[in-house]
Amino acid sequence: MCKMEDVVDNSVNVTPPPAPPLPCAQSKRVLVKSKGMSSNRDQCSVSNATTALYDRLFDEAYRADVVVHTDDGGQIYAHANILGMTSPVIRHLVKESKSKNRRRSITIRGVPHDAVRVFIRFLYSSCYNPEDMEEYILHLLVLSHVYVVPHLKRECEVQLENGLLNIENSVDVFQLALLCDAPRLSLICHRMILDNFKAVSATDGWNAMKEAHPILEREILATVAESDRRQRVLFRKRKEKEMYVQLYEVMEALVHICRDGCKTIGPHDKALKEDEHPCGYTACKGLEQLVRHFAACKLRVPGGCAQCKRMWQLFELHSRLCIDSEACRVPLCRNFKDKSMKQNKKEEMRWKILARKIVRSKSVSGAPFFSLASST
C-alpha cells in the first residue's frame, strides 16, 4: 500500500515543469491578400481569418443595405450595422436617410472616391494598405475626425509622427491638426516649422496659408521671432558659462603655479624637478607666460601695461575667491582682501557677482580651491 510519506518524498524530488513563455507585447500579423488589394503587407490588429472575412464582406458587398455616394458619381456599397457600430455619426446619417430599393444612401463629399473607400474598408477590418495610408492620410485624418473614428484618427497621427510628416506637408498637417483637435500632432508640426522655417516658408502650403489664414501666419511668425530670441539668449548664456569656466581654470592654474610650481616657474623656496610630468591644467601655459612678463615688466603698475593690468585683475579676482588668505601662496592675496573692505558698495557687488558666477560654473564637478562661501 502506498504511504503518505512516500508521496511527499517523491513530490520533493520531482523537477517542476518549465514556465510557459511570456505573451508577446505585439504580435505581427499579415493581412491575407483580398480581392482588389495589393500584395504588400497591411497593418492590422485582428486575426487573419477575421480580417479576411470582413474584407470579403466589404469587397463582395453581400447583402449590402447602404450606398455611400462620393465625388464624381462614385458609389460604395456597405452594411449599415457595421458602419453604425464603428461611427456614431454615420449611424445617425443612416437613420435619417431615405430608403430606396431596400437600401439607404448617405453622401461623403469633399474627398477623393478612393480615400472614402479606404476609410470604409478600415471601418470593417481596422486594416489599410501602407500605400493608401501614405497617399490619403490627410483625407483619412479629416474623415476620422468628422465621423468620430478615434482609432483611425490615432493611427493617422502615429503614421504622420513616424515618417509621413515632412517639410512639404507640415503646414497643411498643422492646419488640419488644429481643426481636428490633435494637439500633439499640432505641436510636432509647429516644432518642424520652427526648426526648418526657411524651407517651410518656400512651400506651396505656406503660400496657400498666407492667403487663406493670414492670422495664423502672423501667429507663426511671432513664434518664430520668439524662438530666435530664445536661441540668442541661450547662445549668450552658453558663451558666458564658457567664459566663467575658463576664468575658474585660470584661477586654479594660478594657485597651482604659486603653490606647487610648474615646468619653469614656481615659488622662490621650491626647486622644480627636471623630470616633472606634463601639467594637467589647461590654462597653465598661457598664465605662465603672463606671470613671467609681469615679473620682468618695468611698467607693471596698474594701467601702465595691458598685460600687467590683466595680471592685477587676476590677482584681485583670486582674492575674492580665496578661502584662506593667510595660508595662500598667491602674491598680494591678503592685500586685495583688505582693499576690498574699503571699496564702494557698487564696485564690491560687481566683484561678488562675478566671483559667484565663476564658482557656480564648476559647482557640478566640484571646486577644489574655492567655494561660494568666499564669494558672499
Side-chain angles (χ1 to χ4, degrees):
M1 179 180 295
C2 181
K3 296 182 180 181
M4 182 60 68
E5 293 82 356
D6 298 334
V7 175
V8 174
D9 292 339
N10 292 335
S11 64
V12 172
N13 296 327
V14 173
T15 303
L22 294 175
C24 297
Q26 292 182 347
S27 58
K28 296 182 179 180
R29 293 182 176 135
V30 180
L31 182 64
V32 178
K33 181 182 176 182
S34 53
K35 184 178 179 181
M37 293 170 48
S38 66
S39 60
N40 294 329
R41 294 186 173 185
D42 291 357
Q43 312 300 320
C44 187
S45 58
V46 296
S47 67
N48 293 343
T50 304
T51 301
L53 177 63
Y54 277 99
D55 279 330
R56 183 180 176 186
L57 183 64
F58 171 71
D59 292 331
E60 297 181 3
Y62 178 71
R63 291 194 175 184
D65 53 356
V66 175
V67 180
V68 181
H69 296 276
T70 63
D71 288 342
D72 300 327
Q75 293 183 347
I76 302 173
Y77 294 94
H79 301 80
N81 290 337
I82 295 178
L83 301 186
M85 288 297 293
T86 52
S87 172
V89 176
I90 295 182
R91 182 193 313 165
H92 176 74
L93 293 177
V94 170
K95 286 183 179 180
E96 296 296 324
S97 64
K98 295 182 179 180
S99 176
K100 183 178 180 180
N101 296 330
R102 297 182 181 180
R103 285 179 177 166
R104 296 182 178 273
S105 63
I106 60 175
T107 303
I108 299 179
R109 305 287 188 186
V111 295
H113 172 82
D114 291 339
V116 179
R117 183 173 181 83
V118 174
F119 171 69
I120 298 297
R121 181 206 168 190
F122 187 89
L123 299 184
Y124 273 75
S125 59
S126 297
C127 297
Y128 59 86
N129 286 330
E131 294 84 357
D132 294 336
M133 175 62 75
E134 183 175 357
E135 184 175 359
Y136 302 113
I137 188 166
L138 299 185
H139 302 295
L140 294 176
L141 177 62
V142 174
L143 290 172
S144 63
H145 175 73
V146 172
Y147 294 101
V148 191
V149 187
H151 54 296
L152 176 57
K153 182 178 180 180
R154 180 56 190 153
E155 183 65 24
C156 291
E157 293 177 9
V158 170
Q159 293 299 323
L160 285 167
E161 294 174 12
N162 293 335
L164 295 185
L165 179 65
N166 53 56
I167 293 177
E168 290 295 328
N169 64 9
S170 58
V171 176
D172 296 332
V173 176
F174 179 58
Q175 296 178 85
L176 288 179
L178 295 176
L179 294 174
C180 297
D181 190 23
R184 174 182 168 85
L185 182 60
S186 64
L187 178 60
I188 293 174
C189 294
H190 194 202
R191 287 178 178 174
M192 176 173 284
I193 293 173
L194 294 181
D195 295 339
N196 306 275
F197 179 71
K198 186 175 181 180
V200 171
S201 60
T203 60
D204 295 335
W206 179 266
N207 296 328
M209 183 195 65
K210 288 174 59 177
E211 298 180 1
H213 304 287
I215 296 179
L216 182 59
E217 181 206 7
R218 288 196 294 269
E219 291 178 353
I220 294 177
L221 291 176
T223 57
V224 170
E226 177 64 17
S227 177
D228 291 341
R229 186 191 67 81
R230 291 182 179 179
Q231 290 294 332
R232 289 194 298 268
V233 171
L234 290 175
F235 180 77
R236 187 182 71 249
K237 289 183 177 180
R238 192 180 302 114
K239 287 297 183 182
E240 290 178 355
K241 177 73 177 296
E242 293 176 359
M243 180 189 68
Y244 296 139
V245 171
Q246 291 175 358
L247 284 175
Y248 187 91
E249 292 174 352
V250 170
M251 293 295 101
E252 283 185 326
L254 181 62
V255 173
H256 160 65
I257 290 175
C258 297
R259 184 190 62 184
D260 307 322
C262 183
K263 295 182 180 178
T264 60
I265 191 171
H268 64 85
D269 57 348
K270 186 174 181 180
L272 299 178
K273 300 179 181 179
E274 295 182 359
D275 57 344
E276 187 179 3
H277 296 291
C279 181
Y281 294 91
T282 56
C284 194
K285 183 177 180 180
L287 185 60
E288 187 177 359
Q289 295 176 354
L290 190 62
V291 171
R292 282 188 169 280
H293 169 83
F294 181 78
C297 184
K298 297 180 180 180
L299 300 175
R300 61 180 179 180
V301 293
C305 173
Q307 292 183 341
C308 293
K309 184 178 179 180
R310 281 177 58 193
M311 199 69 221
W312 284 108
Q313 292 173 342
L314 292 178
F315 282 145
E316 185 168 1
L317 179 58
H318 164 81
S319 69
R320 305 285 176 165
L321 298 170
C322 186
I323 301 174
D324 187 4
S325 296
E326 298 296 335
C328 182
R329 302 294 300 273
V330 177
L332 305 176
C333 183
R334 180 72 261 179
N335 294 349
F336 279 111
K337 281 281 188 184
D338 296 337
K339 178 186 174 182
S340 65
M341 301 296 181
K342 302 175 183 179
Q343 284 182 334
N344 60 65
K345 292 184 178 180
K346 185 176 181 181
E347 186 71 15
E348 179 68 12
M349 184 57 64
R350 287 177 60 249
W351 281 104
K352 282 186 176 182
I353 293 175
L354 177 60
R356 189 177 296 113
K357 289 182 177 180
I358 291 174
V359 174
R360 284 178 176 172
S361 68
K362 279 286 189 176
S363 59
V364 176
S365 59
F369 297 118
F370 316 111
S371 69
L372 283 174
S374 62
S375 60
T376 55

